[in-house]
Amino acid sequence: MTALHTLWMGLVLLGVLGVLQTRAQAPVSLQPNFQQDKFLGRWFTSGLASNSSWFREKKNVLSMCMSVVAPTADGGLNLTSTFLRKEQCETRTLLLLPAGAPGCYSYTSPHWGSTHDVWVVATNYDEYALLYTAGTKGLGQDFHMATLYSRTQTPRAEIKEKFTTFAKTQGFTEDAIVFLPQTDKCMEGHK
């Protein structure tokens, strides 16, 4: 019985170490020489890809939302997003904390209470940004999402193609990738 307990504890320890090692290694590359000050300001969520069941169920009713990225005193970012939900505008703010190299952040999911990591994979700062998010939700279900942020509500075709290619290299299938339709709702004063 002691040997079985020792084996079980060893497997648990290896599992924990494996999780720690996996969490420390980014699954994607970061934007070289990321400049947080250039990343600040208004962005539109133009494209999404996710393995989430919620996303698969709701992707056809989602629309573009507007986000504002602002610095925090501790070197992190406030990501404040305004979006349409049940015919009403909602605003939510996520606190993105620095998590290693510039362009790498983490936040605590307000719904699940779990930590999610966010990487700014590519950006030219004045037109687009590609982000990748990974974490767990619920009962340890892996959560992955790719996001295309655009400075305008109409990203160029080349930017959309860049996002599609990026999402596919992360393992998302064509049916898991969506470009969000423009809306005037919840965008008043922000065009």
Side-chain angles (χ1 to χ4, degrees):
M1 187 62 138
T2 303
L4 186 58
H5 183 265
T6 303
L7 176 63
W8 185 82
M9 288 302 290
L11 290 173
V12 168
L13 182 58
L14 283 174
V16 168
L17 290 174
V19 167
L20 292 175
Q21 181 181 8
T22 301
R23 186 164 156 69
Q25 297 172 347
V28 293
S29 60
L30 289 169
Q31 167 68 36
N33 304 310
F34 178 73
Q35 298 174 42
Q36 181 171 292
D37 59 323
K38 289 184 174 183
F39 186 68
L40 304 176
R42 181 183 67 185
W43 293 97
F44 295 96
T45 303
S46 301
L48 292 172
S50 180
N51 68 336
S52 165
S53 57
W54 174 90
F55 175 77
R56 286 191 302 273
E57 293 167 10
K58 304 287 185 188
K59 70 179 185 176
N60 293 329
V61 297
L62 296 175
S63 59
M64 189 176 289
C65 73
M66 189 201 59
S67 298
V68 176
V69 179
T72 62
D74 62 359
L77 299 172
N78 275 325
L79 175 65
T80 303
S81 299
T82 303
F83 54 93
L84 185 65
R85 182 172 183 229
K86 297 181 182 177
E87 295 303 313
Q88 294 188 348
C89 297
E90 282 194 28
T91 300
R92 295 205 180 143
T93 300
L94 283 178
L95 174 60
L96 302 177
L97 299 171
C104 183
Y105 301 91
S106 69
Y107 71 92
T108 301
S109 167
H111 185 73
W112 298 106
S114 54
T115 299
H116 294 206
D117 295 315
V118 180
W119 295 272
V120 179
V121 176
T123 183
N124 65 1
Y125 303 103
D126 59 359
E127 189 177 18
Y128 78 95
L130 302 179
L131 279 68
Y132 183 76
T133 304
T136 58
K137 62 178 195 162
L139 301 171
Q141 299 173 3
D142 285 339
F143 169 77
H144 304 278
M145 182 167 54
T147 306
L148 169 61
Y149 282 123
S150 176
R151 292 289 190 185
T152 71
Q153 292 188 54
T154 54
R156 292 184 299 119
E158 295 86 359
I159 301 301
K160 289 180 167 183
E161 184 57 38
K162 185 182 289 260
F163 174 71
T164 300
T165 301
F166 167 67
K168 286 180 177 179
T169 63
Q170 299 311 309
F172 296 110
T173 57
E174 193 77 40
D175 66 328
I177 301 169
V178 64
F179 290 98
L180 302 173
Q182 285 180 247
T183 180
D184 288 334
K185 296 178 181 176
C186 306
M187 305 283 178
E188 295 84 19
H190 301 290
K191 291 185 180 179

